[in-house]
Amino acid sequence: MSWAVANGPGAATASRVHGRYQRTLRDCPLAGTPVVIRLTVRRFICQTAACPRRTFAEQVPGLTTPHARYSPLLRGALTAIAVALAGRAGARLAGTLGMAAGRDTLLNLLRTVPDPPAGIVEILGIDDFALRRGRVYGTVLLDMVTGRPVDVLPGRDADPVAAWLRAHPGVRVVCRDRASAYAVAARDGAPEAIQCADRWHLWRNLAEHVERAVIRHHGCLKQAASTASSCTPPAASSVTATSEPSAAADGADQAAAASESVLVTRIRDRYATIQALQADGRGLRQIARELSLDRKTVRRFAQATSADELVAKTLDRDTLIDAHKPYLHQRWNQGCRDITVLHTELEQRGYRGSIRTLYRCLQPLRTQDPAQAAAPVEPAPPKIRHVTTWQLRRPEDLDNTEQATLADIKAACPHLDRLGDHITAFAKMMVHRTGADNLDTWLAAVENDDIPELHTFARGIRQDYTAVRNGLTLPHNSGACEGAVNKLKTIKRQMYGRASFSLLRKRILLNT
């Protein structure tokens, strides 16, 4: 006797055949060859009077599902491809494997996959990421025990995170960066949870303030460099200087100082103009249009704390010709004054700049008496970023030259010397996680010292004191969040930034 079971709730067995029809079903390829299954299936009449459907088709267990054109095996394979590669890339791979499917089909399959359950999260990590940098952001929530994303929220505001925490009780620890919005969200959504500020973010914040302190004492770096050069005996030169080399040096120094003065004046004037326009309520794009500047340049001037900071960073930049200046002065003293010849020689030494840059560098020497020899190049002061890095690294990780240079700088500037002591104390507290015992002592020592940049850092810690102390005491950190954000960015860029938020969220949650 023919029979079939009706689909859906309240299913019943039917034995009355209504008719037959052919059904086409695609299956996984065989040795790369597409496979199409043609089935003759029966349609049965439902004998239950209350059933709204008069007929229904029989299903082959493990092979067919209602209204599906793919076998479960092929559907599972295409869904896995969609989860891994999404639309266009997934369609290309599926076609190569003999499972041709359009990008919209793959995306539709991806959207039907249910979200993995969040479960009970005891240690939660929170971090933000950029959908469109500077404009649109999102928030990723991680189970720090498993490292698995449990949800992705639009924006980086406090309300969505607080609502999620209220809907998922049981969070004991919240690991986050220094963002105030997430601090408010954790306080409102999970008031009993322990908040931990991430140690990496604390160290990064300290590094930013250390750099500002080094910038403010940029003159001390020049003093230390000049002191070191005066203590070093001059090397014997193979070229005999002609009459009055000091006058040549003075002329070159005056020309370089004049050029530097013009640059400094332009930076200060531009800083004052941009700050004034911003105070009048103009936006960065409007200022950029009015001054014919790039928006990134306007933003850099608008975010700077002072003109001196911009001046120091500008004068601290490396140029393509800095490493070749001693050789240039040597060749100039040997009588080679042809710019083309010097440019060819420098290219053989690895110089990649233009001949125009070389001409501007030698212009102060060209204006002096040809009979005079060029003064030797004085050692340049250490770069701000180098001094900042030396202060933040372990002393044993520095080579002998770096240690000697840093010692000269500290000897020339007591402020930078004391700054190094504060950095060392904070690093030890962070590495050994002794914040509960030493944080108050460290803050008091910093606040009693006359280093304004560390005062700002200390005020920020005071505002987030409990989370910082927990971060410097407990073993929790946000390292898994940073790794998840890196993976998230890969997924976002894989879809060319065109994916809707719901689709991006789905792929993030499924790619664990």
Side-chain angles (χ1 to χ4, degrees):
M1 178 182 291
S2 301
W3 61 273
V5 179
N7 301 305
T13 302
S15 59
R16 183 178 176 184
V17 179
H18 178 271
R20 292 173 175 80
Y21 74 98
Q22 276 217 343
R23 183 174 181 181
T24 301
L25 198 67
R26 293 178 55 192
D27 197 9
C28 284
L30 180 62
T33 302
V35 174
V36 177
I37 301 175
R38 290 183 173 86
L39 295 175
T40 300
V41 296
R42 295 168 295 183
R43 188 179 295 277
F44 290 84
I45 296 177
C46 183
Q47 297 175 344
T48 304
C51 181
R53 296 184 59 182
R54 292 294 299 157
T55 65
F56 62 92
E58 69 174 333
Q59 305 295 333
V60 180
L63 183 62
T64 64
T65 52
H67 310 295
R69 296 185 178 183
Y70 300 131
S71 67
L73 187 61
L74 179 59
R75 182 186 179 92
L78 291 176
T79 302
I81 292 175
V83 169
L85 297 176
R88 287 181 173 85
R92 290 194 295 268
L93 177 61
T96 303
L97 298 177
M99 299 180 288
R103 63 177 186 269
D104 292 332
T105 299
L106 292 178
L107 294 182
N108 291 334
L109 289 174
L110 177 60
R111 290 188 175 97
T112 61
V113 180
D115 294 344
I120 298 177
V121 181
E122 295 186 352
I123 304 177
L124 180 70
I126 307 175
D127 204 355
D128 64 338
F129 64 94
L131 290 167
R132 296 184 64 184
R133 186 173 180 85
R135 300 180 63 180
V136 183
Y137 287 85
T139 299
V140 60
L141 307 178
L142 263 77
D143 184 346
M144 301 299 289
V145 176
T146 62
R148 178 178 62 87
V150 294
D151 209 341
V152 181
L153 306 176
R156 51 178 179 179
D157 302 321
D159 293 341
V161 179
W164 190 95
L165 288 171
R166 284 191 287 267
H168 298 80
V171 176
R172 296 187 299 104
V173 179
V174 176
C175 300
R176 58 173 177 82
D177 56 15
R178 304 292 305 284
S180 59
Y182 295 148
V184 174
R187 184 192 63 202
D188 296 343
E192 297 181 357
I194 299 173
Q195 297 189 39
C196 285
D198 183 53
R199 289 185 291 276
W200 182 86
H201 287 91
L202 286 170
W203 188 250
R204 181 184 179 185
N205 295 149
L206 177 62
E208 293 171 352
H209 290 83
V210 169
E211 183 182 28
R212 295 192 185 102
V214 175
I215 288 174
R216 189 165 63 90
H217 294 279
H218 187 246
C220 299
L221 306 185
K222 295 182 178 180
Q223 179 182 351
S226 61
T227 302
S229 62
S230 62
C231 295
T232 303
S237 176
S238 60
V239 179
T240 304
T242 57
S243 60
E244 298 181 357
S246 60
D250 291 342
D253 291 343
Q254 290 174 3
S259 175
E260 183 175 302
S261 176
V262 172
L263 177 61
V264 170
T265 302
R266 184 169 70 244
I267 292 174
R268 294 186 184 279
D269 292 344
R270 182 173 293 174
Y271 175 79
T273 302
I274 292 176
Q275 292 290 331
L277 292 174
Q278 192 177 30
D280 289 340
R282 290 179 173 86
L284 297 183
R285 292 183 182 274
Q286 184 178 358
I287 297 174
R289 286 194 299 267
E290 291 183 11
L291 301 181
S292 299
L293 296 174
D294 186 83
R295 185 171 58 88
K296 294 179 181 179
T297 301
V298 175
R299 183 176 59 191
R300 181 165 55 89
F301 275 78
Q303 294 178 349
T305 57
S306 66
D308 293 334
E309 176 182 341
L310 294 168
V311 170
K313 285 186 175 181
T314 301
L315 298 180
D316 193 62
R317 293 175 180 171
D318 288 320
T319 63
L320 295 174
I321 206 167
D322 283 345
H324 304 283
K325 283 184 177 180
Y327 178 79
L328 282 176
H329 281 240
Q330 177 185 356
R331 294 290 289 132
W332 189 272
N333 290 339
Q334 291 174 351
C336 182
R337 310 295 170 90
D338 192 320
I339 301 295
T340 304
V341 174
L342 291 174
H343 184 258
T344 302
E345 293 180 3
L346 290 188
E347 284 184 329
Q348 296 174 355
R349 294 171 54 89
Y351 175 65
R352 294 296 178 264
S354 65
I355 193 170
R356 181 63 182 172
T357 301
L358 176 60
Y359 180 86
R360 286 197 299 267
C361 176
L362 294 176
Q363 187 60 26
L365 300 179
R366 295 172 62 86
T367 57
Q368 70 184 30
D369 187 354
Q372 295 177 344
V377 179
E378 295 185 359
K383 301 294 182 182
I384 292 173
R385 61 182 181 277
H386 294 163
V387 177
T388 302
T389 302
W390 298 341
Q391 291 271 36
L392 295 169
R393 289 173 61 189
R394 302 174 186 267
E396 57 269 20
D397 292 340
L398 304 178
D399 58 33
N400 295 334
T401 302
E402 293 170 343
Q403 291 181 5
T405 306
L406 183 59
D408 293 339
I409 293 172
K410 290 184 175 181
C413 182
H415 289 85
L416 294 182
D417 189 16
R418 296 196 301 273
L419 176 67
D421 295 337
H422 292 312
I423 295 172
T424 301
F426 189 88
K428 291 180 178 179
M429 177 172 56
M430 185 181 68
V431 171
H432 300 294
R433 298 202 296 271
T434 58
D437 301 325
N438 300 334
L439 181 58
D440 292 333
T441 304
W442 187 86
L443 288 173
V446 166
E447 292 167 347
N448 292 329
D449 207 339
D450 57 341
I451 304 178
E453 293 76 16
L454 289 188
H455 292 174
T456 306
F457 180 65
R459 283 196 297 271
I461 291 179
R462 292 288 188 190
Q463 295 172 359
D464 199 18
Y465 176 79
T466 303
V468 172
R469 185 187 60 187
N470 292 335
L472 294 175
T473 306
L474 301 178
H476 308 295
N477 65 80
S478 299
C481 290
E482 301 300 328
V485 169
N486 282 340
K487 186 175 182 179
L488 181 155
K489 290 178 180 177
T490 302
I491 295 174
K492 181 191 71 172
R493 291 164 183 162
Q494 191 181 64
M495 295 186 288
Y496 308 100
R498 290 176 162 179
S500 63
F501 181 83
S502 60
L503 181 60
L504 178 62
R505 175 181 177 275
K506 179 77 70 173
R507 288 201 64 208
I508 292 171
L509 296 180
L510 295 176
N511 279 276
T512 57

